[in-house]
Amino acid sequence: SQTIHQWPATLVQPVGSPLSLECTVEGTSNPNLYWYRQAAGRGLQLLFYSVGIGQISSEVPQNLSASRPQDRQFILSSKKLLLSDSGFYLCAWSGLVAETQYFGPGTRLLVL
Amino acid sequence: SQQGEEDPQALSIQEGENATMNCSYKTSINNLQWYRQNSGRGLVHLILIRSNEREKHSGRLRVTLDTSKKSSSLLITASRAADTASYFCATDEETGGFKTIFGAGTRLFVKA
């Protein structure tokens, strides 16, 4: 069966520090991968999606970047965090048809 | 921009009552999905309804889709305290893109 992992679960970082959040998927090949951000009590904002290794589409111009160095690995990064980067970050994968998405447990990021 | 908009934003009911949540969207779609999110967790897929379907059932869930009104509803019958969660509708792009657009969600609270 397929599983998706995200870590860390919680992260507290100072403003201006770098960020690296990792997401890995097991049990499937060539998934579509997604990074979302969710503000408290709000819906999901799509940040990046990837349909293959090295292929990244950015949805919102921002302080973040994403990379997909391996088929089932998706990394969200920042060189210098801003206060506004605080939120709940969710990684998800879907099959080729890009219908149902399967979400990881999320990373809660607090930038102070 | 938001594709799906849920209504109401919050709903509080007694255990055993039915809960109805609505979703409106703006552009043509291939399918519409409903997801559930427990507090602080990732989203879980509940049901997918295609644009050529009008109604779909899954256990205590009933989803309807009216493409002429660009709206959908999620009915949870005989609600339980464990149904307390946020519920999101999500739509894809009819052009076959890999993006799924999520609404802001309805927060359901079921009182025991």
Side-chain angles (χ1 to χ4, degrees):
Chain A
S1 63
Q2 302 90 0
T3 54
I4 179 169
H5 304 279
Q6 273 187 256
W7 64 90
T10 306
L11 191 59
V12 180
Q13 291 285 98
V15 170
S17 64
L19 173 74
S20 180
L21 301 181
E22 188 162 344
C23 171
T24 59
V25 181
E26 295 177 359
T28 187
S29 296
N30 198 27
N32 295 326
L33 295 171
Y34 310 82
W35 276 113
Y36 292 90
R37 178 168 58 202
Q38 184 179 31
R42 306 292 296 276
L44 277 67
Q45 179 187 35
L46 179 63
L47 301 175
F48 302 95
Y49 68 95
S50 170
V51 300
I53 296 174
Q55 300 179 62
I56 309 294
S57 295
S58 175
E59 288 299 301
V60 182
Q62 59 209 321
N63 186 41
L64 302 169
S65 62
S67 62
R68 185 171 177 174
Q70 299 180 46
D71 181 45
R72 289 169 287 179
Q73 184 184 30
F74 205 22
I75 297 172
L76 183 69
S77 304
S78 174
K79 292 182 179 177
K80 286 186 178 182
L81 284 168
L82 306 172
L83 288 173
S84 57
D85 291 324
S86 293
F88 190 49
Y89 289 82
L90 288 159
C91 179
W93 74 271
S94 72
L96 281 176
V97 183
E99 292 186 340
T100 300
Q101 293 190 19
Y102 301 92
F103 285 80
T107 294
R108 189 162 304 282
L109 172 66
L110 179 60
V111 182
L112 300 175
Chain B
S1 62
Q2 292 273 31
Q3 167 74 312
E5 297 285 346
E6 287 91 342
D7 166 56
Q9 290 185 329
L11 181 61
S12 181
I13 59 174
Q14 290 290 140
E15 207 167 28
E17 294 180 339
N18 295 341
T20 300
M21 289 159 269
N22 303 296
C23 169
S24 61
Y25 56 92
K26 298 173 183 172
T27 64
S28 296
I29 60 171
N30 288 316
N31 63 65
L32 184 144
Q33 303 176 61
W34 285 92
Y35 287 81
R36 166 196 167 122
Q37 182 183 34
N38 284 27
S39 180
R41 309 291 292 274
L43 278 71
V44 175
H45 181 257
L46 294 176
I47 198 165
L48 179 151
I49 186 166
R50 301 191 185 283
S51 59
N52 62 354
E53 297 176 305
R54 290 298 166 257
E55 187 170 313
K56 205 161 183 179
H57 297 255
S58 178
R60 293 185 295 112
L61 305 180
R62 173 179 168 247
V63 169
T64 62
L65 179 63
D66 187 336
T67 53
S68 67
K69 295 180 179 178
K70 292 186 169 60
S71 67
S72 173
S73 67
L74 169 67
L75 168 68
I76 303 174
T77 59
S79 63
R80 305 166 182 167
D83 294 328
T84 294
S86 291
Y87 293 83
F88 297 88
C89 71
T91 56
D92 71 331
E93 296 176 330
E94 192 184 30
T95 54
F98 294 97
K99 294 183 290 185
T100 300
I101 311 298
F102 287 81
T106 291
R107 287 190 294 282
L108 173 66
F109 181 64
V110 182
K111 293 176 280 187

